[in-house]
């Protein structure tokens, strides 16, 4: 990562991009690894809303949807500052590699180092849960739910 204002999380998932991609766009699949409820309309301008627990949701909209390679959506928290709804941008790329997919998530426009650290820890945990799920395991209940 060369731009210190952008957080990046990258990991290998033991599934093909065509298998991984719907876990970012299908609400029933999304909540198997993150959140308790999802309202996703994966078209440019479509809704991105994931409920974590009562009163805590992340809200934005899809900007780009290029199955099974790339997704871009805006992101922010309903409880407002310091990261209000739709105020940041998340770019997810899925690259085939031996034995599965390299998932690279870049989160842009977070306001400060504290938020970058907080979101890095969150994305590392959640993408790890997705890797467990697609590897045939059970990640269990979302710890933030």
């Amino acid at each position: 990562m060369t731009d210190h204002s952008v957080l990046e999380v990258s990991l290998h998932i033991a599934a093909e991009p065509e298998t991984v991609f719907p876990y970012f766009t299908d609400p029933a699949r999304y909540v198997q690894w993150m959140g308790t409820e999802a309202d996703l309309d994966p078209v440019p301008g479509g809704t991105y809303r994931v409920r974590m627990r009562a009163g805590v949701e992340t809200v934005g909209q899809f900007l780009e949807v290029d199955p099974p390679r790339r997704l871009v959506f805006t992101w922010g928290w309903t409880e407002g500052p310091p990261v209000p709804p739709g105020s940041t941008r998340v770019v997810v790329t899925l690259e085939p590699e031996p034995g599965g997919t390299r998932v690279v998530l870049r989160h842009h426009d977070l306001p400060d180092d504290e938020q970058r650290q907080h979101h890095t820890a969150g994305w590392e945990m959640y993408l790890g849960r997705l890797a467990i799920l697609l590897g045939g395991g059970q990640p269990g209940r979302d710890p933030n739910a």
Side-chain angles (χ1 to χ4, degrees):
M1 178 169 57
T2 57
D3 183 349
H4 293 291
S5 69
V6 178
L7 77 79
E8 181 176 303
V9 177
S10 173
L11 82 161
H12 174 85
I13 292 183
E16 298 302 313
E18 294 80 8
T19 301
V20 177
F21 192 86
Y23 283 85
F24 286 93
T25 58
D26 175 13
R29 290 180 182 157
Y30 202 105
V31 297
Q32 292 177 30
W33 63 280
M34 181 177 171
T36 60
E37 189 177 319
D39 178 11
L40 306 173
D41 182 16
V43 297
T47 300
Y48 174 92
R49 177 182 292 270
V50 178
R51 180 178 186 208
M52 304 306 284
R53 61 186 172 277
V56 179
E57 295 180 329
T58 179
V59 177
Q61 69 177 210
F62 286 93
L63 301 176
E64 296 177 39
V65 181
D66 181 17
R69 293 180 293 275
R70 180 177 159 96
L71 282 163
V72 180
F73 51 92
T74 60
W75 170 281
W77 297 99
T78 53
E79 69 266 17
V83 184
S87 65
T88 67
R89 183 171 48 96
V90 177
V91 178
V92 179
T93 57
L94 308 175
E95 295 291 331
E97 64 181 20
T101 301
R102 172 64 45 185
V103 176
V104 179
L105 183 144
R106 292 181 179 93
H107 198 150
H108 300 258
D109 308 318
L110 289 162
D112 55 41
D113 286 339
E114 180 182 346
Q115 287 301 313
R116 279 186 290 282
Q117 290 170 4
H118 172 75
H119 284 79
T120 298
W123 284 121
E124 286 174 345
M125 181 198 60
Y126 282 115
L127 291 179
R129 288 172 51 81
L130 180 60
I132 290 167
L133 179 66
L134 290 171
Q138 294 297 319
R141 185 172 184 263
D142 183 337
N144 291 316

